[in-house]
Amino acid sequence: MIFKGTVKIGEIYHGGTLIGKVFKGKTKVWDVNPYEKGEVVSYQSPGKYEGTLSVGVWTVSLCGSGGSGLGWALEGYPWAANGGSGAFAEVTFYNPVSRKIVLFAPAGNEAGSLDGAAAYMELDGERMITAGGGTKGVFNSGGKGGVVTIAEALDVLSETKINGNDGGVKLSFDEGSGGESVSKYDEWGKGSRDGSNAGGLRLVYERHVR
């Protein structure tokens, strides 16, 4: 840390140029970057991350959990309906001031005919990103895919928003159809019949300057 009296200085400038690192000999004594550029700070499925988000550019990936479905017999034939899959969002944004961050990724279902849950990001208690969970499959109807919402207050630099896939109905002893994962990572949020996949979260530090 660098202080002026009792006040911590977050940045150092030479003229109008931001100084990224300060060395004493070969030893680095200060770095404007809290992490290495491109470093994965958290990767969980399911899980929760809480901490202080420093000033800079960050990428958050979130996926809701999938819905689970149902099996039944009709006129002697076995049928199955899958739940919908969770929505997926990957958002790169600029954080202008240090804020408390909460990331949450829900567990999947271990039984049938249950809704999935949303993954989300909050900054100082304000919901910024929600990746909705898939809904449950019911008699003769598959579940619906989750939906992504992003608050206008977030300073977004780039975004990927993929709503979840709907589940479907199939003549089957086992699985119905549909509900495939839309996540870039590990089939987060897949919907199925008897159970469903957990959601996930990923936090990456990109750089200090917007």
Side-chain angles (χ1 to χ4, degrees):
M1 305 288 184
I2 294 182
F3 290 83
K4 182 177 182 180
T6 59
V7 179
K8 184 176 73 174
I9 301 171
E11 296 178 342
I12 302 173
Y13 287 85
H14 179 67
T17 302
L18 176 67
I19 304 302
K21 299 178 182 180
V22 176
F23 290 83
K24 183 178 181 180
K26 294 183 179 180
T27 303
K28 184 170 67 175
V29 295
W30 185 80
D31 193 335
V32 72
N33 295 292
Y35 301 95
E36 294 296 321
K37 295 179 180 180
E39 181 175 346
V40 178
V41 177
S42 184
Y43 188 109
Q44 300 183 57
S45 175
K48 188 175 186 180
Y49 175 84
E50 297 183 79
T52 299
L53 196 72
S54 301
V55 172
V57 177
W58 300 81
T59 296
V60 166
S61 307
L62 293 166
C63 187
S65 60
S68 50
L70 186 70
W72 68 94
L74 182 64
E75 296 181 351
Y77 293 96
W79 293 85
N82 282 357
S85 63
F88 175 79
E90 189 161 75
V91 182
T92 299
F93 64 96
Y94 178 65
N95 184 48
V97 295
S98 180
R99 290 186 278 186
K100 180 181 178 182
I101 182 172
V102 176
L103 297 174
F104 174 74
N109 297 325
E110 296 182 356
S113 201
L114 295 169
D115 290 330
Y120 61 81
M121 179 182 79
E122 293 179 348
L123 294 177
D124 282 349
E126 183 179 356
R127 182 71 64 91
M128 293 294 182
I129 304 172
T130 302
T135 65
K136 62 188 177 185
V138 296
F139 178 75
N140 208 32
S141 180
K144 297 295 183 181
V147 176
V148 174
T149 57
I150 300 173
E152 291 185 1
L154 194 64
D155 186 0
V156 174
L157 304 183
S158 66
E159 64 181 46
T160 297
K161 299 192 299 183
I162 309 175
N163 292 335
N165 285 313
D166 292 346
V169 176
K170 184 179 179 182
L171 184 65
S172 173
F173 283 101
D174 300 311
E175 285 295 294
S177 63
E180 295 89 353
S181 171
V182 296
S183 170
K184 288 175 59 177
Y185 309 102
D186 298 332
E187 290 203 318
W188 292 346
K190 179 182 177 181
S192 61
R193 173 187 148 173
D194 292 326
S196 63
N197 288 7
L201 66 87
R202 183 175 182 265
L203 176 64
V204 177
Y205 176 72
E206 301 291 357
R207 59 188 182 275
H208 180 73
V209 179
R210 188 180 190 282

